[in-house]
Every structure is written in C-alpha cells, then in structure tokens.
Amino acid sequence: MMNFTKNARIFLHNMKLLSKQHIESLQWDNIQYTKSLILYGNLLEDKPEKKLHILDNEHTLDCLLHELKTFYRFGDAEINIMLNEVPNKKTCSQRYDVTLAKKLYEALTSERDDVYIGIGYRYFYYNIWDSDTYSNKFFTLNGKKFRDFFLNNCNPKRTYLATDFNQYYFTVDENKQDDWFRKVKLLFKGRKICLFMGEETYNNLKYYVFDEAEHIETIMCPSRDSFDKFDELFLLADKRPNDEILCFAIGPTSKVLCYELNKKGKICLDIGHLPKDYDSYMRKLDKSPEAVEKFYKGDYT
C-alpha cells in the first residue's frame, strides 16, 4: 500500500509538470522530450541545498564592475569536451582534444581567489515553462546532464558568476535591455582593450560593445578549433601591456587562455557571445526560434 501511494504521488507530480506544456505542438522526439521534461522539472524543484551558489546576470555584472578580475565561464561546449561527448563536429566550434579537456577541468576546479568562475545559472534557476522554443528544447533535453556535472565537480562553498550574462538580448524582457546594455558598456569604458575573436564573427558585427573604450586592438583568431593555435595565441597575449584588459571570444580556448594568463598577472575576460549579443540588441533582430538558434550556433557552421 505504501509503494502504491508513493507511485501515485510521483505519477500525479509528473502529470502536473507535463500539464504545463502543450506537448502536441512540439516537433521534437516526444519520448525523449517527455522523459527529459520530467527529469528537468523535478530538478528545478529540488531543495535549495542541492544548488550551488551562483549570482544571477545582474549581480554578475555588478560584481565585475565593482572589482574587475579575470573571469572565465563554463557552459555546454566546455562540459561536452571534458566528458568527451562533443555531439556534432560540424556544428561545434571546437573538436575534442584531451589536453584541452584536462586544462578546462583544471580551470573549473581551481581554488584561486583572484579569478571569477562562471557556470550555468540557468541550469539551476531556469523557467522552462516560459521561454523561447529553442531555449526550452535545449534546457529540457540537456539541463539535468549539465546541472549534474556542475554539482559533481564544483565547490559548494564557492560563489560562482553566471555564464549566461552575455546572452541577454534573446532571454530577458525588452524593457530591461536599454539599462542593461548601457551598464555592460561600462566594463570597457575608458579602458585599453585587446580583443581576441573569431574572424567570421567579428566581420559580421555592425555595432561594437567596446566603442567607449580608450583604445582597442583586435587580433583575429580561427573561428573553429582555435585550441590548435593555443601556444601562438598565448604568446601574443602574454606580450600585451599589463594595463590592457584581454578579452576573448574564441570558444573553449578562451577559458584556458584566461586561466593561464591570469597566472602571469594579466586581467582577462572570457566574453563569449557578448559582442554578438550587443550587436543583436542594436540591430533589434527578430527573436524567432530560427534567429535564436542561429545566434547560438555561431558563424562557423
């Protein structure tokens, strides 16, 4: 009787989760989706002690503005490399590399207090019931895997920043965006910046989040498999003056460059999608599922 009551309670709970979605309108693999939806819905309702301490986007930006330190971030691409589970070589910016995987894990688990480490805020605090279709699908199908990875490998006593702070335009209400992007530009205002960025991505930008910097120099990098050029990029960055902020937007390689260059006394920012995010905001791009998917897939496909 006790097992029946427990199973009935689980069944009713899962039906409650499913009732929040219009399943018939989804064009995904319904069996995989339904399974993932239940798992992800359950993990979002876990007790607080099962969550890591991660600042949200707004507090992440406040933290960077208050005390600028090296900041590098981890998301799905980095986790898949660390797990040797790069899903599709044609749509990923970086193929698997065993050295890269080891360095990423070393950077993620670092106990240094002179760096900020970003992990996926939305894997822990994401509302899949009220989101765009692309993000809904992504977090539902992948959320539990990535959240479990962070729980198993991150320090529950450390405060992490939000990996997602550079993905504001497509994910946050429009009435907050003007103030947000004005504030983002303060990160670079009056500073000397050296930007390492994929050439294809850079050439597709019309607006620049760095336009209030005192000085900016851009070093074009490979848009795909940039870790092949790690030694060359490291030497170029290490030769830059110490009063420059080194900004990286070259996928998983950015994290290792930031981690290693910080040891040499450099301040580095792993900004990822931020230049594209600001450009999308300024262009007022449409937010259709196709547009969101194109944004995240990058310019190397």
Side-chain angles (χ1 to χ4, degrees), residues 90-296:
K90 292 183 179 180
T91 58
C92 293
S93 65
Q94 177 64 55
R95 66 172 173 266
Y96 175 76
D97 182 288
V98 63
T99 302
L100 173 58
K102 290 179 179 178
K103 295 305 292 185
L104 286 170
Y105 186 76
E106 182 182 330
L108 174 66
T109 57
S110 171
E111 294 299 328
R112 295 177 66 98
D113 60 8
D114 59 345
V115 299
Y116 298 122
I117 300 175
I119 64 174
Y121 179 86
R122 290 191 289 173
Y123 296 133
F124 293 82
Y125 308 96
Y126 182 67
N127 183 2
I128 60 174
W129 320 120
D130 183 21
S131 65
D132 65 87
T133 302
Y134 180 81
S135 296
N136 191 320
K137 175 182 177 181
F138 177 83
F139 282 97
T140 301
L141 295 179
N142 300 288
K144 186 176 189 306
K145 167 188 169 181
F146 295 139
R147 180 188 170 179
D148 286 349
F149 181 89
F150 285 132
L151 283 172
N152 291 332
N153 294 283
C154 291
N155 183 353
K157 296 181 180 180
R158 186 180 186 114
T159 297
Y160 294 90
L161 273 58
T163 282
D164 334 72
F165 96 109
N166 63 349
Q167 302 162 32
Y168 209 83
Y169 176 69
F170 288 104
T171 60
V172 178
D173 192 285
E174 290 184 3
N175 62 22
K176 299 180 179 180
Q177 292 185 357
D178 290 345
D179 289 340
W180 169 261
F181 284 106
R182 276 195 294 268
K183 199 170 179 179
V184 164
K185 294 180 73 173
L186 295 177
L187 274 176
F188 313 109
K189 185 175 181 179
R191 298 183 186 273
K192 297 176 183 178
I193 305 294
C194 184
L195 171 65
F196 291 74
M197 191 171 188
E199 186 170 2
E200 287 87 346
T201 304
Y202 182 84
N203 289 338
N204 286 332
L205 297 177
K206 182 178 179 181
Y207 299 96
Y208 300 94
V209 71
F210 311 98
D211 59 11
E212 294 182 17
E214 177 185 328
H215 171 78
I216 181 166
E217 183 173 340
T218 302
I219 295 177
M220 299 299 181
C221 305
S223 293
R224 184 189 287 275
D225 297 326
S226 58
F227 192 70
D228 292 353
K229 301 289 185 180
F230 177 84
D231 291 341
E232 179 182 334
L233 294 172
F234 180 85
L235 288 174
L236 285 171
D238 192 34
K239 291 178 181 178
R240 304 302 303 183
N242 283 340
D243 63 345
E244 282 186 344
I245 307 300
L246 306 180
C247 296
F248 296 92
I250 45 175
T253 304
S254 298
K255 291 69 171 124
V256 182
L257 283 168
C258 288
Y259 174 65
E260 294 296 342
L261 287 163
N262 180 73
K263 298 176 184 177
K264 304 290 291 286
K266 307 290 186 181
I267 295 182
C268 307
L269 297 178
D270 165 26
I271 59 173
H273 290 305
L274 185 60
K276 287 174 60 180
D277 196 42
Y278 178 75
D279 184 64
S280 299
Y281 158 74
M282 291 297 292
R283 293 181 190 232
K284 304 303 180 197
L285 295 184
D286 78 270
K287 298 184 180 181
S288 65
E290 294 76 18
V292 176
E293 184 172 9
K294 182 179 179 181
F295 176 87
Y296 286 112

